[in-house]
Amino acid sequence: MYIIAGLGNPGRQYVGTRHNIGFEVIDALCAKYDIKIKKHKFSADYGEGTIGGEKVVLVKPQTYMNLSGEAVRPLRDWFKIEDDHIIIIYDDISLPTGKIRIREKGSAGGHNGIKNIIYQLGTEVFPRIKIGVGAPEHPDFDMKDYVLGKFSKEEVEILVKAAIRVTDAVEEMIVANPQQAMSKYNG
């Protein structure tokens, strides 16, 4: 069994923002695998289904980005899932828009949602998929305003394709392993 958590912020005002790309990918996974998000527990909305023959729990933490671990940890404990079977999907400003990068483990890299998950789980060893949302053009731009900003029409077109690649990568991570998914989708 796997937990696949897409990070974002709850609320209509955050729909379509850079920080909510994780929620968008969870929606894409739900559509592709006919999984309904209709349960709420431990400050998370989630749905259960199957991907690649494995049971999965698709999760949208409702804690706001910076406290994402407060939803992921209790779900991990409730479902008794090993840390290496928790896949986190989130935005990354250090990657160009639409580029994806899969990692088996690592630091938070300045991402507060990941920082909280590492703190709550007590480990950096869990697979993750970072989706590039680009960086602001001006170095003095307020980062909070940037990640909470909406995508342009051109960015949306790029990210729709990226979301499809991420859904394929998730299945590859489950059916094969993260290393195989990394060699196939990182690049």
Side-chain angles (χ1 to χ4, degrees), residues 6-187:
L7 304 190
N9 288 310
R12 298 180 74 87
Q13 69 271 34
Y14 298 109
V15 172
T17 63
R18 290 176 180 85
H19 238 4
N20 273 36
I21 193 69
F23 279 13
E24 302 294 335
V25 171
I26 292 298
D27 291 341
L29 286 163
C30 286
K32 182 174 181 177
Y33 297 102
D34 195 29
I35 298 171
K36 307 279 189 271
I37 302 260
K38 56 185 177 182
K39 297 180 181 180
H40 183 82
K41 187 178 241 172
F42 305 119
S43 300
D45 292 341
Y46 69 96
E48 299 176 58
T50 305
I51 296 177
E54 288 281 341
K55 290 175 78 175
V56 298
V57 181
L58 300 182
V59 179
K60 290 181 178 181
Q62 299 297 296
T63 55
Y64 291 93
M65 180 63 78
N66 293 352
L67 299 176
S68 296
E70 292 182 12
V72 173
R73 182 190 43 78
L75 284 166
R76 174 202 66 180
D77 296 347
W78 175 262
F79 287 105
K80 297 175 177 54
I81 294 177
E82 297 296 321
D83 294 333
D84 65 348
H85 280 201
I86 299 171
I87 300 170
I88 306 296
I89 303 168
Y90 63 101
D91 62 292
D92 188 327
I93 61 165
S94 67
L95 294 173
T97 301
K99 184 173 176 89
I100 67 172
R101 177 144 314 129
I102 301 167
R103 294 282 183 255
E104 290 184 272
K105 61 183 177 182
S107 70
H111 194 286
N112 289 330
I114 295 298
K115 192 179 298 182
N116 188 258
I117 291 171
I118 290 169
Y119 172 75
Q120 290 289 329
L121 296 181
T123 183
E124 294 181 347
V125 183
F126 54 87
R128 73 255 345 237
I129 303 175
K130 302 189 270 187
I131 303 169
V133 296
E137 291 179 23
H138 305 291
D140 57 343
F141 194 86
D142 182 356
M143 196 54 67
K144 180 181 173 190
D145 289 342
Y146 183 75
V147 296
L148 296 179
K150 305 265 185 185
F151 291 112
S152 70
K153 183 180 175 189
E154 295 79 20
E155 288 173 316
V156 169
E157 291 173 11
I158 293 167
L159 289 163
V160 165
K161 293 175 187 171
I164 292 167
R165 284 196 328 272
V166 172
T167 63
D168 293 341
V170 165
E171 184 169 0
E172 187 83 21
M173 292 171 81
I174 291 170
V175 171
N177 56 55
Q179 299 90 357
Q180 189 165 318
M182 286 166 60
S183 66
K184 190 171 181 178
Y185 293 96
N186 289 354

